[in-house]
Amino acid sequence: MLAGFRRSAPASQRLCLNLCPCSSSLLSPAPRRSWRRRPRRAPSSDGGGDPAQASDPQADPAAADGGVPGGGEYGRDRAQRGGRHQRLRGQEFILSEDYNKMTPVKNYQAHQSRVTMILFVLELEWVLSTGQDKQFAWHCSESGQRLGGYRTSAVASGLQFDVETRHVFIGDHSGQVTILKLEQENCTLVTTFRGHTGGVTALCWDPVQRVLFSGSSDHSVIMWDIGGRKGTAIELQGHNDKVQALSYAQHTRQLISCGGDGGIVVWNMDVERQETPEWLDSDSCQKCDQPFFWNFKQMWDSKKIGLRQHHCRKCGKAVCGKCSSKRSSIPLMGFEFEVRVCDSCHEAITDEERAPTATFHDSKHNIVHVHFDATRGWLLTSGTDKVIKLWDMTPVVS
């Protein structure tokens, strides 16, 4: 997909591409904006290792013929037609004004396996990329020189960058988010966030509020407050399948999340949200003091069979099923669906606290990529069904 534009002459535009496959009633879609096209495969580059080996045609047969398996003009033509062959590097093109012609300009030898994410930073003239070789790299887009790299603990699946502080955020399949501080030719590990029980599938950065959003295969979205309240993590539970794409409307402070369940959720982030409490450990119910099934001593002393342990989503206490028989939504904690709460917390939750803070819409396809245009109020989604849809979001995001 498009990663960014470079400065260029009026007759053409430059862009960096990560040719990856598009991975959809809500509101009235804009006319004639839903179409099908042949998917493009994600590029796979084989640089970043031994320079001599990377430039050796015997070590890399594809490199000898323009970086396209199949080689020669035939191989290049097949790749440009969206064939199933893989490109082996990040590439830069000149895009004509009428968008009907792409002229190759430069190759970035960054990785030894398929490129997973690519990002162009116009202000610094940097190209950031991650690959299945667990490597993060950044290049100078003017000279094409590799500036540095960092090895992640797992394959990266999300990439965001803050221009002001030069911090890069990398989400990976292990479920953690790594924050690096980039200099001109080196990087420093700042910290790592661990909050998801599944792999990170999408990242979204708000440079104004200094908030990072991460979506995961555990069906949740976490808001990491890096700027104001450092260390605060707010969970958002609104999907029945893995979250696969995120976008943020800064002017209205609304987060748009899309998932494998076909749902589009618009979250109002202009409310005072609360952190979910940690689940407490106990050998007996913290409400009625009945033993849990592993507490053999108390079961023997009280001559009672142990009970199964549950947790209240509002207070975090360990309770039995009898003391947590109620369900309630807690939107300010991110629980838009009804979840288990203890009886005392259920009585304390008011109707105002149950008021929803998000709206739910059905896109009718498995979304893997999303982009929001704030100037027009349009949302673009692409899915695994090879369909691209354009939605008019002005009734919801305004």
Side-chain angles (χ1 to χ4, degrees):
M1 305 303 294
L2 295 185
F5 288 96
R6 293 197 61 205
R7 301 186 186 96
S8 59
S12 64
Q13 293 173 317
R14 282 188 175 184
L15 53 93
C16 293
L17 288 184
N18 180 18
L19 298 180
C20 58
C22 287
S23 6
S24 241
S25 173
L26 169 65
L27 308 164
S28 40
R32 296 182 299 174
R33 293 293 181 175
S34 178
W35 65 92
R36 295 177 179 267
R37 68 176 176 86
R38 183 177 300 175
R40 291 176 181 259
R41 288 284 177 173
S44 167
S45 61
D46 53 358
D50 185 358
Q53 181 180 0
S55 59
D56 184 6
Q58 299 298 327
D60 180 11
D65 294 295
V68 180
E73 296 296 331
Y74 176 73
R76 281 192 290 270
D77 290 343
R78 291 194 62 180
Q80 291 173 358
R81 290 198 305 268
R84 300 183 63 85
H85 286 281
Q86 301 173 359
R87 293 176 181 266
L88 299 178
R89 54 180 61 84
Q91 293 189 329
E92 181 178 331
F93 296 84
I94 291 179
L95 182 64
S96 62
E97 280 190 338
D98 57 4
Y99 301 99
N100 286 326
K101 183 179 180 181
M102 292 170 51
T103 305
V105 176
K106 192 179 302 178
N107 293 331
Y108 296 93
Q109 303 287 351
H111 301 279
Q112 295 180 339
S113 60
R114 177 177 297 184
V115 176
T116 56
M117 302 291 295
I118 190 166
L119 186 65
F120 176 63
V121 183
L122 175 63
E123 294 82 357
L124 301 175
E125 297 287 350
W126 285 356
V127 177
L128 315 179
S129 64
T130 58
Q132 288 186 345
D133 55 359
K134 301 181 183 180
Q135 288 287 340
F136 161 74
W138 73 101
H139 291 70
C140 175
S141 62
E142 294 182 327
S143 64
Q145 178 184 0
R146 179 186 171 98
L147 300 179
Y150 179 86
R151 183 171 179 83
T152 58
S153 59
V155 176
S157 52
L159 181 64
Q160 290 289 300
F161 183 75
D162 181 55
V163 178
E164 182 180 354
T165 62
R166 296 191 180 185
H167 284 128
V168 62
F169 308 95
I170 306 172
D172 59 44
H173 288 306
S174 70
Q176 76 176 18
V177 179
T178 303
I179 302 181
L180 304 175
K181 171 74 172 181
L182 299 189
E183 303 297 340
Q184 186 62 30
E185 294 183 356
N186 61 77
C187 67
T188 305
L189 176 64
V190 178
T191 186
T192 57
F193 292 153
R194 296 178 178 89
H196 291 289
T197 58
V200 175
T201 53
L203 289 180
C204 185
W205 170 246
D206 176 17
V208 178
Q209 302 294 329
R210 307 202 63 76
V211 170
L212 179 70
F213 300 96
S214 61
S216 172
S217 58
D218 61 9
H219 307 180
S220 69
V221 178
I222 295 182
M223 181 187 78
W224 309 92
D225 195 339
I226 299 175
R229 298 177 296 173
K230 295 183 179 180
T232 302
I234 305 296
E235 289 189 41
L236 304 175
Q237 302 283 349
H239 288 276
N240 294 316
D241 202 340
K242 61 181 178 180
V243 180
Q244 299 192 134
L246 296 173
S247 186
Y248 187 69
Q250 295 182 5
H251 63 295
T252 59
R253 295 196 62 184
Q254 289 176 288
L255 175 70
I256 304 172
S257 62
C258 304
D261 55 359
I264 299 178
V265 184
V266 181
W267 305 86
N268 180 15
M269 304 308 299
D270 196 19
V271 295
E272 190 66 23
R273 295 187 177 272
Q274 306 170 14
E275 281 190 284
T276 54
E278 293 185 5
W279 286 4
L280 303 179
D281 293 327
S282 178
D283 292 329
S284 58
C285 177
Q286 294 180 306
K287 293 294 183 178
C288 66
D289 201 35
Q290 293 294 316
F292 294 131
F293 62 85
W294 61 81
N295 190 351
F296 299 107
K297 184 179 183 305
Q298 188 175 352
M299 283 192 295
W300 177 265
D301 294 341
S302 62
K303 300 298 187 292
K304 293 181 180 180
I305 299 177
L307 304 176
R308 182 182 176 185
Q309 184 190 56
H310 301 280
H311 284 89
C312 174
R313 300 314 193 262
K314 184 171 175 59
C315 64
K317 290 183 178 181
V319 292
C320 64
K322 184 178 179 180
C323 295
S324 59
S325 58
K326 305 294 179 63
R327 301 288 188 275
S328 176
S329 61
I330 319 174
L332 294 181
M333 283 189 171
F335 298 109
E336 294 291 336
F337 305 143
E338 290 189 348
V339 292
R340 180 186 296 271
V341 294
C342 63
D343 295 348
S344 57
C345 287
H346 185 271
E347 295 176 359
I349 300 175
T350 63
D351 292 337
E352 289 77 11
E353 292 177 323
R354 292 189 176 94
T357 60
T359 58
F360 298 84
H361 315 277
D362 186 11
S363 66
K364 301 189 184 301
H365 72 161
N366 183 0
I367 298 174
V368 294
H369 179 78
V370 64
H371 175 74
F372 179 70
D373 185 355
T375 59
R376 300 177 182 178
W378 288 359
L379 181 73
L380 181 143
T381 62
S382 61
T384 56
D385 54 2
K386 306 177 185 178
V387 175
I388 297 176
K389 294 185 178 182
L390 192 62
W391 309 88
D392 181 12
M393 299 294 290
T394 52
V396 179
V397 182
S398 60

